[in-house]
């Protein structure tokens, strides 16, 4: 598990660095009929859903992008992306983009979390809604851009799905640090979990320099 997670973290860090160095053409806020409007995400439900995607390894790795895409009248694809931590934190990130068809295909094919599988819109919406509720019980709120990205679901009704999801890992929340999580953030999350779950009610794994450590091994966090 630790070896696979280290590999995943390195892949995510490399892809983020690449995106920061070169922002692909078309990676802009969602257009409406050829015009760019920062509030156009609120009109997303006008456009037909192209696909709803979930990584097939989401509940194995604990993290991955949930994607809802809609076809725009310009020929581009509006994409809402929700970075879901199903082991602990809920929706860690969210954003909207408009991509041409080639960029959309590349975006899907470059998924470091494994293969995407197509799911019903109600399934994807229920997965996110239930995850938000789980994370809230632990004391975590979704990323601030979730308020915008959620409009991509439009009038999709999560109650149309009967799927039951189990969050956490082996019955407990399990926080696994990301490549950019510093000591202060880790400590803040630890305190939040202790408050909501008790001292022994959760697990934490820290990844530093390609190695995984249990939280208790990081003495510097207690200084």
């Amino acid at each position: 598990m630790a070896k696979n997670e280290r590999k995943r973290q390195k892949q995510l860090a490399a892809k983020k660095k690449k995106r920061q160095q070169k922002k692909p053409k078309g990676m802009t806020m969602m257009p409406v009929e050829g015009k760019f409007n920062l509030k156009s995400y609120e009109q997303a439900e006008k456009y037909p859903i192209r696909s709803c995607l979930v990584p097939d390894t989401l509940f194995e790795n604990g993290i991955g992008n949930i994607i809802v895409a809609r076809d725009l009248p310009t020929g581009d694809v509006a994409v809402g992306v929700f970075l879901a931590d199903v082991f602990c934190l809920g929706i860690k990130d969210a954003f909207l983009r408009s991509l041409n068809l080639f960029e959309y295909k590349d975006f899907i094919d470059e998924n470091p979390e494994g293969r995407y599988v197509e799911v019903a819109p109600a399934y994807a919406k229920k997965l996110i809604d239930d995850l938000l509720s789980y994370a809230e019980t632990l004391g975590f709120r979704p990323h601030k851009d979730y308020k915008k990205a959620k409009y991509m679901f439009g009038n999709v009704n999560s109650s149309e799905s009967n799927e039951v999801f189990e969050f956490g890992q082996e019955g407990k929340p399990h926080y696994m640090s990301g490549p950019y999580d510093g000591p202060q953030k880790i400590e803040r999350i630890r305190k939040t979990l202790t408050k909501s779950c008790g001292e022994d009610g959760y697990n934490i794994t820290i990844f530093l320099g390609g190695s995984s450590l249990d939280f208790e091994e990081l003495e510097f966090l207690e200084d």
Side-chain angles (χ1 to χ4, degrees):
M1 178 65 183
K3 183 177 180 181
N4 291 337
E5 178 62 19
R6 290 197 298 272
K7 182 179 179 181
R8 184 185 68 79
Q9 295 286 0
K10 289 180 180 179
Q11 289 175 326
L12 289 174
K15 287 183 179 297
K16 182 172 182 178
K17 183 177 180 181
K18 183 178 179 181
R19 289 196 301 268
Q20 290 173 337
Q21 291 174 341
K22 183 179 180 181
K23 186 177 181 181
K25 291 177 64 178
M27 296 290 282
T28 51
M29 286 300 291
M30 193 169 65
V32 173
E33 299 179 356
K35 297 181 179 180
F36 291 89
N37 186 326
L38 292 179
K39 293 185 178 180
S40 61
Y41 55 81
E42 296 179 4
Q43 304 177 40
E45 64 182 35
K46 296 195 308 182
Y47 309 119
I49 291 179
R50 166 179 283 264
S51 57
C52 287
L53 304 170
V54 175
D56 61 354
T57 57
L58 179 60
F59 286 90
E60 176 185 346
N61 293 339
I63 195 166
N65 288 325
I66 299 171
I67 296 173
V68 54
R70 292 178 181 264
D71 290 321
L72 298 172
T74 59
D76 292 335
V77 181
V79 183
V81 181
F82 305 83
L83 178 58
D85 176 355
V86 297
F87 281 176
C88 185
L89 301 180
I91 302 301
K92 293 183 62 177
D93 199 357
F95 61 87
L96 289 166
R97 294 291 186 270
S98 65
L99 307 174
N100 64 43
L101 291 176
F102 295 104
E103 292 166 339
Y104 176 70
K105 184 178 184 301
D106 287 344
F107 181 70
I108 300 303
D109 290 344
E110 290 178 0
N111 177 32
E113 304 298 337
R115 183 177 64 90
Y116 280 115
V117 294
E118 184 81 31
V119 298
Y123 175 105
K125 182 66 162 52
K126 189 174 190 297
L127 172 55
I128 290 178
D129 288 350
D130 289 359
L131 178 57
L132 289 173
S133 297
Y134 173 77
E136 185 177 359
T137 65
L138 301 178
F140 302 112
R141 292 179 172 272
H143 188 274
K144 60 182 178 63
D145 289 335
Y146 168 74
K147 291 182 179 180
K148 295 180 180 179
K150 70 178 182 180
Y151 282 99
M152 284 295 294
F153 280 104
N155 58 4
V156 173
N157 189 347
S158 61
S159 66
E160 294 178 3
S161 172
N162 295 320
E163 192 71 25
V164 177
F165 303 102
E166 293 185 10
F167 303 112
Q169 187 182 42
E170 298 179 355
K172 292 182 178 182
H174 184 181
Y175 165 60
M176 297 186 295
S177 68
Y180 304 103
D181 291 354
Q184 291 182 341
K185 180 176 181 179
I186 293 171
E187 174 65 2
R188 184 170 65 251
I189 291 173
R190 184 192 71 83
K191 288 182 177 179
T192 300
L193 287 170
T194 299
K195 182 178 180 180
S196 60
C197 304
E199 290 286 351
D200 300 321
Y202 62 91
N203 295 313
I204 290 184
T205 302
I206 310 302
F207 296 91
L208 291 175
S211 300
S212 62
L213 300 172
D214 290 333
F215 184 82
E216 289 75 8
E217 299 179 67
L218 299 179
E219 296 181 357
F220 72 91
L221 288 174
E222 300 177 358
D223 295 338

